[in-house]
Amino acid sequence: MNADYWIEQLQMEEHPEGGYFKQSFKSEELISPASHPGMRHLYTSIYFLLRSENISHFHQLLSDELWYFHAGSSLTVHIIDPTGEYRQEKLGLTIEKGEKPQVLVEKGSIFGSSVDTADTFSLVGCMVTPGFDFTDFKLFSQQELLEQFPQHEEVISRLAYKQLP
């Protein structure tokens, strides 16, 4: 099964950060968290697919996001946490090589992802709580991030938009 199979079978569409997605679940329960403007679903969940020739550009959410590995090659989640520290988390099933089947991206972190194995893809699931809403989603340009985090120039140049779309 290749990337096109999953995109078609799961009826995925292009995501503004890069890659493809399809919402799979959202809670019926609504909440009004103080950290978010307005009502939110308690949680939302998507399928997310990234091909090796693409990247998921640096972005930020107001909520925690849990990533779950499903199929394909491992995925690297690049994270600049709220303190400005950069780290990589490998999402996959080869535990002996440091991969993890689940990865948490804490709210307020700036993050993106890449598939480091050529000519392949990664299919993952992402659950956001409080639930995802595009008003809580922010994309970043290279200039914005380099002003804040010049020490992370290499990864910012790779994963941030030169200019926002």
Side-chain angles (χ1 to χ4, degrees), residues 55 58 78-80 84-88 110 140-162:
I55 57 170
F58 270 134
H78 303 268
I79 303 166
I80 301 173
E85 294 297 315
Y86 169 74
R87 74 179 190 279
Q88 294 181 16
I110 296 166
F140 292 90
S141 70
Q142 289 178 3
Q143 181 180 346
E144 287 176 288
L145 292 178
L146 288 172
E147 287 173 7
Q148 268 191 291
F149 309 107
Q151 70 275 28
H152 304 310
E153 181 178 5
E154 184 178 330
V155 71
I156 289 169
S157 295
R158 182 173 170 221
L159 292 179
Y161 281 108
K162 288 182 183 173

Side-chain angles (χ1 to χ4, degrees), residues 80-143:
I80 301 173
D81 72 24
T83 70
E85 294 297 315
Y86 169 74
R87 74 179 190 279
Q88 294 181 16
E89 297 281 357
K90 291 281 194 180
L91 188 64
L93 299 178
T94 311
I95 308 302
E96 64 275 10
K97 291 188 178 177
E99 296 177 4
K100 301 173 185 175
Q102 299 178 7
V103 168
L104 172 65
V105 176
E106 300 88 0
K107 65 182 174 184
S109 295
I110 296 166
F111 63 105
S113 58
S114 62
V115 178
D116 300 326
T117 304
D119 301 320
T120 189
F121 70 94
S122 184
L123 175 66
V124 302
C126 301
M127 188 188 85
V128 176
T129 184
F132 179 83
D133 188 294
F134 270 105
T135 60
D136 305 334
F137 173 83
K138 181 176 181 180
L139 283 169
F140 292 90
S141 70
Q142 289 178 3
Q143 181 180 346

Side-chain angles (χ1 to χ4, degrees), residues 35-53:
S35 57
H36 293 63
M39 300 295 286
R40 295 290 178 271
H41 292 274
L42 180 60
Y43 65 85
T44 56
S45 185
I46 65 169
Y47 293 112
F48 182 69
L49 184 139
L50 194 62
R51 290 182 166 127
S52 53
E53 62 269 19

